Amino acid sequence: MRSIWNGAISFGLVSIPVKLINATESHSVSFRQIHTEDGGRIRYRKVCELEDREVGQDEIGKAYEDADGSMIPITDEDLARLPVPTARTIEIVAFVPEERVDPLQMGSAYYLAASGAPAAKPYTLLREALGRSNRVAIAKFALRGRERLGMLRVVGDAIAMHGLLWPDEVRAPEVVAPDAGVTVRDQELDLADALMATLGEIDLDDLHDEYREALEEVIAAKAAGETPPQAPEAAPPGKVLDLMAALENSVRVARESRGGETSGPAEEAEVRTLPRRGASSRWTPKETGGKKSTSTTAKKTTAKKTTAKKTAAKEADGRKATEKKPVAKKPAAKKPTAKKGAAKSAQPAERSAASSTAEKATGAGRSTGGRSTGAGKSTARKTASRKRSA
């Protein structure tokens, strides 16, 4: 990298020879002016208005135009003999915290390179002192015919200098601030915070100049005789009538562009829907008609068996049948009105009770299709036999 200025850093009584190198470069595409009729180049020629002829660079100097229009020549020797210590020196005047420097003052950035082997030790000393103090150095220097203000800070293993505007060169922001009396609601601030959180952070190294890339594609297409790519028509900007609606839409679009990522409030809304899904799942037995009819059939069979048993028990012993009657009635009366979800879990117990009742009443009766045929015939024969013996 080519240096644009040679001098020294004045650090108290320590002098550090340095070279000033541009830290940035421009990648913008430049154009030439042409004559549209024939494509000829349009050039600016430096012409002396008194002699009406073109002059070379070696014949051009500097001058200051006075108020009356007269020119006061200023030579390079005049600038070199300026009675200021910063003509060839970057003079450090203070060390301050970096947050004290207004970013509005920052201008061009430069690298300061050690000039020669003798400058390595004092250069490293200044770099380490700046790094350990967590401060930046404020300095004055002269460049391109004027004294400037600069800020020195550590960047990696080097020292960088940012050119600063003088404080009186920064305009006050009062003229651009909106009129007073505007009130922002807490809900609007919350949505703005949500939008900021959704957009999140980004690695600055991933950013690139899309305009320059598109312009290079157009130039390459025209150079190859092809049709340049056409940009899609941009949607006309809509008027913001409702700030809340605009913020909500912005949050939604930002989340969709980030691949459907959601923040805290959306996750809470998803959690609140879980109980509703659980409540609806309780009604799933409604759809299984086979299980419902089986349960109902089992209950009817149990009721008929219980009635047959009670008839036999009444003939044998009226008092015991009276005591057992409520016990036998209770499950038969309550089971049909029980919750449909509980009917499913009660089926094994009812089937067991039905089997036990059938064995006691008939000894070998079996239930078929919801009717107890064997149990009914056996009970009728036993009742008739007992009546004859009585």
Side-chain angles (χ1 to χ4, degrees):
M1 292 185 288
R2 185 174 61 88
S3 62
I4 61 172
W5 181 89
N6 293 329
I9 298 175
S10 175
F11 178 33
L13 298 178
V14 179
S15 181
I16 310 171
V18 293
K19 296 178 180 179
L20 196 66
I21 301 171
N22 281 320
T24 61
E25 58 185 0
S26 175
H27 292 161
S28 61
V29 179
S30 58
F31 296 100
R32 302 291 187 184
Q33 291 184 330
I34 61 170
H35 187 200
T36 56
E37 290 187 3
D38 53 18
R41 284 278 307 275
I42 302 298
R43 298 180 179 274
Y44 292 95
R45 302 181 184 276
K46 299 179 180 180
V47 177
C48 174
E49 61 180 15
L50 296 180
E51 299 182 8
D52 194 20
R53 68 178 182 88
E54 185 178 354
V55 296
Q57 185 63 36
D58 56 342
E59 300 180 78
I60 299 174
K62 302 182 184 68
Y64 176 78
E65 185 176 2
D66 205 354
D68 58 359
S70 60
M71 297 294 178
I72 304 174
I74 302 293
T75 64
D76 292 338
E77 291 76 14
D78 295 332
L79 297 176
R81 290 195 296 266
L82 288 174
V84 290
T86 58
R88 285 290 172 184
T89 304
I90 299 174
E91 182 184 5
I92 295 177
V93 295
F95 293 89
V96 300
E98 188 172 357
E99 56 268 18
R100 287 270 304 276
V101 180
D102 189 346
L104 286 174
Q105 292 182 248
M106 291 188 181
S108 301
Y110 309 95
Y111 286 132
L112 295 174
S115 182
K121 180 70 178 286
Y123 183 95
T124 305
L125 172 64
L126 176 59
R127 183 192 66 198
E128 296 300 320
L130 285 172
R132 191 168 70 172
S133 66
N134 292 322
R135 291 172 176 257
V136 296
I138 302 300
K140 291 181 177 182
F141 66 101
L143 181 66
R144 297 190 180 97
R146 54 172 295 204
E147 188 176 53
R148 303 168 186 263
L149 197 61
M151 179 188 76
L152 279 64
R153 67 184 184 96
V154 178
V155 177
D157 294 333
I159 299 175
M161 182 175 69
H162 296 268
L164 300 179
L165 299 174
W166 297 98
D168 59 357
E169 292 179 320
V170 179
R171 294 176 176 176
E174 285 80 3
V175 294
V176 297
D179 296 336
V182 177
T183 303
V184 178
R185 295 180 294 170
D186 291 339
Q187 294 88 341
E188 294 168 341
L189 285 174
D190 292 340
L191 282 172
D193 291 340
L195 178 58
M196 293 167 63
T198 305
L199 293 176
E201 298 183 359
I202 193 172
D203 188 355
L204 295 179
D205 293 335
D206 295 337
L207 300 177
H208 57 279
D209 189 351
E210 297 180 3
Y211 179 86
R212 177 175 59 86
E213 293 176 356
L215 184 58
E216 289 174 348
E217 290 180 5
V218 171
I219 294 173
K222 298 199 74 172
E226 301 173 356
T227 303
Q230 299 293 325
E233 292 185 5
K239 296 181 180 180
V240 180
L241 302 178
D242 188 349
L243 182 58
M244 288 288 290
L247 287 171
E248 289 173 353
N249 291 334
S250 299
V251 172
R252 177 180 54 79
V253 171
R255 285 174 180 167
E256 292 174 355
S257 65
R258 298 279 174 165
E261 296 178 0
T262 56
S263 58
E267 291 175 0
E268 291 175 5
E270 186 177 351
V271 171
R272 286 197 296 269
T273 60
L274 287 177
R276 292 197 291 272
R277 288 198 293 268
S280 62
S281 65
R282 287 203 302 267
W283 301 102
T284 50
K286 207 171 189 178
E287 301 172 4
T288 57
K291 291 185 179 179
K292 181 180 176 184
S293 61
T294 304
S295 175
T296 308
T297 304
K299 290 174 188 176
K300 289 180 179 178
T301 304
T302 306
K304 288 183 178 180
K305 289 177 183 177
T306 306
T307 306
K309 183 179 179 182
K310 284 191 288 185
T311 305
K314 274 182 181 181
E315 298 292 336
D317 190 355
R319 185 179 299 171
K320 288 182 181 180
T322 306
E323 292 174 354
K324 292 180 180 179
K325 184 178 181 181
V327 179
K329 259 188 170 182
K330 241 180 184 177
K334 285 188 177 180
K335 282 174 184 173
T337 58
K339 288 187 179 178
K340 295 180 182 178
K344 184 179 178 181
S345 61
Q347 289 175 15
E350 292 174 356
R351 288 176 183 171
S352 177
S355 176
S356 176
T357 306
E359 287 175 5
K360 288 180 182 179
T362 66
R366 295 175 184 250
S367 57
T368 307
R371 286 186 280 181
S372 180
T373 55
K377 291 178 181 179
S378 177
T379 304
R381 289 172 188 170
K382 283 185 180 181
T383 304
S385 175
R386 284 175 184 171
K387 283 181 180 180
R388 288 193 211 103
S389 62

